[in-house]
Amino acid sequence: MKTRIGAALLGAAIAVGGLTLFANSRKSVNTILDTTAAPVMKTGYSTNGTAVQPVDFEKAASTAVPAVVHIKTLTKFKQTAGRQAPDQDPFGGMFGQDDPFRRFFGDGNGRPFQQPDQRASGSGVIISQDGFIVTNNHVVNGATEVTVTLNNRKNYTAKVIGTDPNTDLALIKIDGHDLPVMTIGNSDDVKLGQWVLAIGYPLNLDVTVTQGIVSAKSRNIGINTQAAAPVEAFIQTDAAVNPGSSGGALVNTNGELIAINSAIASPTGSFAGYAYSIPSNLMRKVIGDIMKYGSVQRGYLGISMAPEGLDDAKKKELGINSDADGVFVIDVDPKGAAGEAGIRKGDVITKVNGEKVDEDAQLAEIIARQKPGDEVKITLDRNGAEQTVSAKLTNKLGSFASTKSAAVESLGADFTDLGKDDAAKLGISGGVVVSSIHDGGVLSNQTNMHPGFIITRVGDQPVRTVDEFKDALSKQGSNFQIEGMYPDSKELYYYGINDFKK
């Protein structure tokens, strides 16, 4: 379980709102790609046919539980070959040259480092009769084995189809047929105060159902540190969830999935009153892209937004002098979609495609649900005057995400070209500098590499620029070595990468 400033990823899942489908269905139902979903079991009715808040949640829970699965993962130890970074011995030599830690883990001089196996568990939601399951990225990230247990106690080996660290979502697949499927609702229709259910496998217990209300929307709690460009617009609820609930479902009283449970706010790591879930509309976009394209096709607006809750002094420092309700633009990429559309620093975005926006997290979610090439209508306030512009969204690099970019992103680090003068001082023709390493990426999980490392070779291919690095990385198999040096030493270091997923 990962923690940050009182917030914690759940490491497990919660699921609800499933619909059991019959074995004689002629067409396999997929609630992500199909727009004609099976009918929803209503839990309560008024005289005019509108669903009302029920006294109990028995019908919603009983229809949802079959579509909730228990996910168990195993991360086998990895042997990382290569020399340890200079002055990075965590024991500082205090045990001497023959200490047991050095004999077991290696001494960083070319011998492998051994790490113990790790086991964890979470939850997931079945979204197709043939075995597609949505869960959290942090549930399956780095796992070498993924096992899924259905509510009927049947076990399956699962394959990770794709992940998106930016939203902390993942898609896995089991070989099944005629499985119970979760009906997906419209998270935009979620209202403050409405009843919700959370179902999953917390604390390694059997399937568990809890109830609560929606207490906030579009919450950004800054917990998704695994991502290079995180999108957080959580639905907040007081339905009790705990470690083991990640990847499961938050459902409404009609048995519809409205969010994927992902995190809790807690000083202890266990439930303390607030849980956070990824809206179903965002999930549908991300998982749908993975199904259709193999990776997420995300549009970018190209702005920096002022965070919520700024005091007057900070507003003045940032140049915010508008009282308009909306999202204040503090910077614009001139080559991005916003810059091309004429949006300027100091503008206040008040609507997107006619939908009112009040918070930066809400705006980020709306844009994240678009793909490169989509045009969005941006209504903004500029010095008290309202105007609307059309922005054509682009990929972060100005085009659709390529497999090369996806491979680099999975490493979880930022890279820059080594300057010519620096290369000359080191006596090399070029290289790629690892400027920063993010928690949760391949480099963080599998190596003891440190920022500042200069990559000169990937596998058997020399690399002198980031473009050459991307090309070399895209051609590697599951296991390979990264070779390079640190700027204060001309000695070569090697880092082994295992089970690499491009």
Side-chain angles (χ1 to χ4, degrees), residues 92-135:
M94 63 182 176
F95 292 103
Q97 294 298 316
D98 194 36
D99 70 79
F101 294 103
R102 190 181 302 278
R103 290 199 305 272
F104 182 74
F105 289 107
D107 61 3
N109 290 310
R111 289 189 285 270
F113 290 81
Q114 182 171 329
Q115 300 174 355
D117 293 353
Q118 295 181 349
R119 297 181 184 273
S121 70
S123 306
V125 180
I126 302 174
I127 55 174
S128 75
Q129 284 182 287
D130 58 351
F132 281 105
I133 296 169
V134 62
T135 185

Side-chain angles (χ1 to χ4, degrees), residues 51-64:
V52 298
Q53 302 296 345
V55 175
D56 64 68
F57 304 93
E58 183 270 333
K59 289 184 179 179
S62 62
T63 57

Side-chain angles (χ1 to χ4, degrees), residues 246-278:
S246 286
L250 190 72
V251 302
N252 60 23
T253 54
N254 288 336
E256 298 171 318
L257 176 71
I258 58 171
I260 297 294
N261 293 291
S262 182
I264 53 179
S266 170
T268 64
S270 298
F271 181 71
Y274 299 109
Y276 298 92
S277 308
I278 302 163

Side-chain angles (χ1 to χ4, degrees), residues 172-194:
I172 65 176
K173 177 74 166 59
I174 61 175
D175 290 330
H177 62 277
D178 299 314
L179 299 176
V181 177
M182 183 75 69
T183 301
I184 301 176
N186 184 352
S187 56
D188 288 346
D189 291 339
V190 172
K191 307 296 182 185
L192 296 184
Q194 79 173 66

Side-chain angles (χ1 to χ4, degrees), residues 321-403:
N321 50 20
S322 173
D323 293 327
D325 292 331
V327 177
F328 192 88
V329 179
I330 60 175
D331 202 3
V332 177
D333 178 0
K335 296 183 180 180
E340 295 289 341
I343 297 175
R344 305 174 189 170
K345 177 180 178 180
D347 289 342
V348 180
I349 297 175
T350 58
K351 295 178 184 178
V352 177
N353 290 336
E355 180 180 351
K356 190 175 185 299
V357 293
D358 299 307
E359 301 174 336
D360 58 339
Q362 180 190 7
L363 175 59
E365 181 197 351
I366 293 173
I367 298 300
R369 280 156 45 182
Q370 315 299 318
K371 64 180 182 297
D374 284 351
E375 288 195 10
V376 292
K377 299 293 183 182
I378 306 292
T379 302
L380 52 89
D381 180 290
R382 179 177 294 165
N383 299 323
E386 184 178 274
Q387 58 180 282
T388 299
V389 300
S390 180
K392 188 174 183 179
L393 302 179
T394 66
N395 175 264
K396 204 170 188 179
L397 301 178
S399 60
F400 281 88
S402 66
T403 55

